[in-house]
Amino acid sequence: MEPADRDLHAEFCRELAAMRLFSGPRRAALEQAVRRLREGAAIDEVVSSLPVGVTGPLLARHAPPPVAAPGPPVPGLYLCPVGACNRAEQRYAGQGPPECLVHERVLTFVPDA
């Protein structure tokens, strides 16, 4: 998988919870896309098959940096549990571990050495 595809896959995974607020045909298309990703389809193929109403906000979104953290960072990163993308999340004390909603698993923790 190309680095750009891994970035897109990570962004899709990161934003899936928000996109699941869609209803009707957009939600149905989104859930079909998630199923195809679980089956091993390429992210660029999956995203290009989605309606613009689903992918437009995803492809244009640039998240602002966090304003404040609830506690000190946990020393280490959480990574994609199946190695399908390059998603890497930092967790802060008081927060639960981040989840991959595509594969319905908690991200894999890799402690700092």
Side-chain angles (χ1 to χ4, degrees), residues 3-45:
D5 291 340
R6 293 176 67 83
D7 289 343
L8 180 58
H9 197 289
E11 187 66 17
F12 183 88
C13 181
R14 193 175 289 115
E15 298 299 327
L16 184 56
M19 291 189 298
R20 281 190 161 150
L21 296 175
F22 294 143
S23 61
R26 291 191 308 170
R27 175 65 186 264
L30 179 65
E31 293 305 328
Q32 289 175 352
V34 169
R35 181 182 46 80
R36 291 179 58 212
L37 284 174
R38 286 184 186 148
E39 293 171 350
I43 186 69
D44 59 338
E45 175 186 317

Side-chain angles (χ1 to χ4, degrees), residues 42-101:
I43 186 69
D44 59 338
E45 175 186 317
V46 170
V47 169
S48 67
S49 72
L50 287 168
V52 151
V54 174
T55 60
L58 172 69
L59 298 175
R61 186 173 294 135
H62 296 286
V67 175
V74 174
L77 289 175
Y78 285 82
L79 306 176
C80 178
V82 297
C85 70
N86 63 354
R87 183 174 175 195
E89 298 289 334
Q90 178 74 57
R91 183 173 77 92
Y92 294 89
Q95 293 179 329
E99 297 179 50
C100 170
L101 297 178

